[in-house]
C-alpha cells in the first residue's frame, strides 16, 4: 500500500496533530476573509492536502484498532495489518 503518493513531502512528514493544527489555522484565516484572493486559493489548496493527509492518518489508525483481537481468555492481542 503506497503512502499518500500525491501529497508533498512536507505534508506527509506532519503528524496528525500538527496537520490538524495547521488546517484549523487555515480555516480560521479563510473564515476571517482578510486575505487576498490568490492567498486564499493557495491556503485552500494547502488545506485540501492537509485534510487528505489527516483522513489517511485516521484510516491507518482505524485499521490498527480493527486488528486488535480479544482472545477467549480476555487477553488482548494484535494481528499484523495485511498491507498486501
Amino acid at each position: 500500500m503506497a503512502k499518500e503518493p500525491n501529497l508533498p513531502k512536507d505534508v506527509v512528514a506532519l503528524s496528525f496533530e500538527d496537520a490538524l493544527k495547521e488546517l484549523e489555522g487555515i480555516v480560521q484565516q479563510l473564515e476571517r476573509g482578510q486575505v487576498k484572493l490568490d492567498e486564499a486559493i493557495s491556503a485552500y489548496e494547502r488545506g485540501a492536502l492537509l485534510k487528505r493527509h489527516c483522513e489517511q492518518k485516521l484510516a491507518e489508525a482505524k485499521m490498527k484498532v480493527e486488528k486488535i483481537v480479544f482472545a477467549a481468555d480476555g487477553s488482548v492481542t494484535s494481528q499484523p495489518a495485511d498491507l498486501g
Side-chain angles (χ1 to χ4, degrees), residues 41-61:
I41 291 169
S42 294
Y44 185 86
E45 290 171 343
R46 175 80 176 176
L49 294 172
L50 291 165
K51 176 184 175 281
R52 188 165 31 148
H53 177 65
C54 288
E55 288 172 342
Q56 178 65 32
K57 289 290 191 183
L58 286 174
E60 290 171 6

Side-chain angles (χ1 to χ4, degrees), residues 63-75:
M63 284 177 45
K64 288 179 185 177
V65 169
E66 288 175 351
K67 293 293 179 180
I68 296 173
V69 177
F70 290 92
D73 65 358
S75 64

Side-chain angles (χ1 to χ4, degrees), residues 25-42:
I26 289 171
V27 169
Q28 289 174 359
Q29 180 183 15
L30 292 173
E31 284 178 341
R32 284 192 299 264
Q34 297 177 340
V35 292
K36 295 180 182 178
L37 180 59
D38 290 342
E39 293 172 357
I41 291 169
S42 294

